[in-house]
Amino acid sequence: MASDSGGTPPGPPPSVRILVVGGGYVGMYTALRLQRKLKQRLRSGEAEIVVVTPDPYMTYQPFLPEAAAGSISPRHVVVPLRRVLPHCTIVIGEAQRIDHSKRTATVTTLATGEDGTGAIEIPYDEIVVAPGSVSRTLPVPGLAAHGFGFKTIEEAIGLRNHVIEQMDIASTTRDLAIRDAALTFVFVGGGYAGVEALAELEDMARYTARYYHNIKAEDLKWILVEATGRILPEVGEAMGKYAVRELRGRNIDVRLDTRLESCEDRVAVLSDGARFPTRTLVWTAGVKPAPLLAATGLPLNERGRLICTASLTVEGTEHAWAAGDAAAVPDLTSDEPGRETAPNAQHAVRQAKVLAENIVAAMNGEPLKEYRHSYAGSVASLGLHKGVAHVYGRRLKGYPAWLIHRMYHLSRVPTFNRKARVLAEWTLAGLFKREIVSLGSLEHPRAEFELAAGRHPGPDDDGR
């Protein structure tokens, strides 16, 4: 069955319709495995897989820092769902609520907003709830007005453009206060996203500074703010301490046990009393479950995640499945009672495989498998040729850790097409100089034409 989102619900229901809500790790990998397992039923019309997702692609988030630094092209960080899921029906839209008692999902699409017909209802027999997570923000004054996120490819490329634009501003302004603020970059959150984004962008900006006649690398000020006493907890305490030493050795101000109190008027005020005028504040202090989960009527834990069994069914509910960030899945490999698997990509991809096989088993009346996975370890990049890793009990740092980081993620990025393109870009990046171009106009593509036509858009006008 060819994929076609349109603006209407899918056609006459087959004998079994599987609705996958979300096109991230869990959604894409579950649908991918289901279309392989159910190939004959999909061809005969006995089954249908419908994927509802806000974007027509899956973002491989571990590559966002390298995309921001210009090491990988943005289009190679995303996987087009219609290409990898040719036997699924792709609906570009957002699920607003799920009524599992009626087995229906209420979905808004791009077309429903245009034609004014309102949301559509998609009936289903089995549902996979995998909407992922959203940035977890706190009521910090000024954060919504001045902060950047780092969870999507759009945010990563927008941040790259912004950093280079700030260097342009600093290079041409006569106001020393504006110059200082433009060259000050504050990152809040010492997990993977915050550390890798800061490290890659600092690497890129330090290289870019050599092409400015009046900016030196030491003029740039980078601050990492972490509320706990360590960064990168996933790689272990020893490697976390090494990462702090490595970053500080690059003149990066790492502040542990420190919180962001305010960023009003473009001044970052920290809990230790420090104040940094800055035009760049990046918030990567964790994630929370997607708001959709509260509109499902399904059982949630105290953190707002779906309570699941080890078989990846929603506890106490038939025909409902979940995994990844949205699911609280018991960790059967842990000696600690009540422990749950971490909401990370490593678990999400492996859970998706078990989840898909369990759906097929349930359809065939066969027993379900339990998800059991021993955590292999973690790797993190600290910029070009620098990294930390804690893999199978071994600690690595520097170039070997960075190489393992690249090899691991190259092996995990979906499709051979993407693997080949990423490897080619890495090879070319090793032979030629970095790209240091800012394409900030991409965010407002109609601005120049509107000026030519006599319209003067405001700073927040996207021209639509």
Side-chain angles (χ1 to χ4, degrees):
M1 186 175 296
S3 61
D4 185 11
S5 62
T8 59
S15 55
V16 177
R17 173 179 286 156
I18 304 169
L19 178 62
V20 179
V21 178
Y25 289 105
V26 173
M28 191 201 76
Y29 279 106
T30 298
L32 186 62
R33 196 161 190 85
L34 282 172
Q35 78 172 4
R36 291 174 182 167
K37 291 283 186 178
L38 301 174
K39 184 181 297 184
Q40 296 302 323
R41 297 189 199 184
L42 291 170
R43 287 178 177 173
S44 66
E46 296 176 30
E48 181 183 22
I49 304 169
V50 180
V51 180
V52 175
T53 173
D55 300 306
Y57 53 81
M58 187 275 274
T59 302
Y60 191 72
Q61 291 186 345
F63 280 160
L64 288 183
E66 291 206 50
S71 299
I72 301 177
S73 172
R75 67 184 184 278
H76 298 155
V77 178
V78 298
V79 182
L81 294 178
R82 286 190 175 86
R83 176 177 292 178
V84 298
L85 302 174
H87 305 296
C88 298
T89 300
I90 309 298
V91 177
I92 305 304
E94 293 192 57
Q96 301 299 318
R97 59 183 177 274
I98 295 170
D99 187 341
H100 193 61
S101 62
K102 297 180 180 179
R103 306 277 182 87
T104 60
T106 302
V107 177
T108 56
T109 69
L110 294 175
T112 58
E114 293 289 336
D115 58 28
T117 56
I120 61 175
E121 287 197 348
I122 301 179
Y124 62 83
D125 298 287
E126 305 281 344
I127 187 168
V128 177
V129 186
S133 58
V134 297
S135 295
R136 177 177 60 85
T137 59
L138 298 176
V140 176
L143 179 60
H146 303 298
F148 287 83
F150 198 81
K151 203 170 187 305
T152 67
I153 187 63
E154 294 84 0
E155 288 175 325
I157 302 309
L159 184 58
R160 168 189 169 81
N161 291 336
H162 174 82
V163 168
I164 297 177
E165 285 172 359
Q166 296 313 300
M167 297 179 71
D168 289 335
I169 290 171
S171 176
T172 55
T173 183
R174 298 178 182 179
D175 189 319
L176 293 181
I178 291 178
R179 174 186 167 91
D180 185 58
L183 296 180
T184 300
F185 308 94
V186 179
F187 285 68
V188 181
Y192 278 128
V195 172
E196 292 193 339
L198 182 151
E200 291 285 354
L201 284 167
E202 189 273 340
D203 239 0
M204 182 270 294
R206 181 159 30 86
Y207 176 86
T208 304
R210 69 177 67 181
Y211 295 98
Y212 287 83
H213 70 282
N214 58 351
I215 295 179
K216 298 178 181 178
E218 51 267 29
D219 294 336
L220 282 70
K221 186 184 300 181
W222 299 82
I223 300 104
L224 177 63
V225 180
E226 168 55 38
T228 68
R230 56 192 290 195
I231 65 172
L232 298 174
E234 298 87 352
V235 299
E237 186 174 0
M239 290 295 93
K241 289 181 178 179
Y242 167 80
V244 170
R245 293 196 302 271
E246 165 67 24
L247 294 176
R248 285 175 173 166
R250 287 158 57 179
N251 235 6
I252 297 172
D253 186 353
V254 181
R255 295 180 178 244
L256 305 178
D257 296 310
T258 307
R259 300 180 307 280
L260 176 69
E261 299 284 357
S262 169
C263 57
E264 288 184 304
D265 301 321
R266 288 184 167 177
V267 177
V269 181
L270 308 184
S271 59
D272 60 4
R275 297 169 61 89
F276 296 101
T278 179
R279 299 169 62 92
T280 309
L281 188 138
V282 185
W283 181 271
T284 61
V287 296
K288 63 181 180 181
L292 168 67
L293 300 186
T296 62
L298 299 173
L300 306 178
N301 67 3
E302 67 281 358
R303 295 184 179 180
R305 299 166 72 193
L306 292 167
I307 302 174
C308 293
T309 67
S311 300
L312 304 174
T313 61
V314 178
E315 191 172 83
T317 309
E318 295 183 341
H319 309 291
W321 313 77
D325 290 354
V329 179
D331 187 351
L332 301 184
T333 65
S334 174
D335 297 329
E336 183 181 334
R339 186 178 179 86
E340 301 167 355
T341 58
N344 58 36
Q346 187 176 148
H347 281 300
V349 173
R350 288 168 172 78
Q351 287 172 356
K353 176 182 177 181
V354 176
L355 192 158
E357 291 178 350
N358 279 349
I359 290 177
V360 176
M363 292 169 62
N364 296 334
E366 300 171 353
L368 306 183
K369 299 178 182 178
E370 291 185 330
Y371 174 72
R372 184 186 298 270
H373 169 66
S374 181
Y375 197 54
S378 298
V379 291
S381 170
L382 299 179
L384 191 62
H385 300 159
K386 297 175 283 288
V388 290
H390 190 185
V391 183
Y392 296 113
R394 296 192 62 184
R395 300 186 182 94
L396 298 169
K397 57 188 179 182
Y399 185 85
W402 173 82
L403 190 60
I404 288 177
H405 173 271
R406 281 203 161 182
M407 291 172 59
Y408 173 78
H409 286 300
L410 184 65
S411 71
R412 291 294 180 265
V413 68
T415 77
F416 176 79
N417 179 299
R418 285 292 174 276
K419 296 180 197 295
R421 290 176 182 272
V422 169
L423 183 59
E425 288 197 309
W426 281 343
T427 302
L428 291 174
L431 299 175
F432 301 102
K433 296 179 179 180
R434 281 180 183 261
E435 294 291 346
I436 59 168
V437 177
S438 165
L439 297 176
S441 59
L442 287 175
E443 296 158 35
H444 306 284
R446 297 187 63 232
E448 186 171 344
F449 179 77
E450 288 177 348
L451 287 173
R455 182 170 182 257
H456 297 277
D460 298 322
D461 188 354
D462 63 4
R464 288 182 295 180

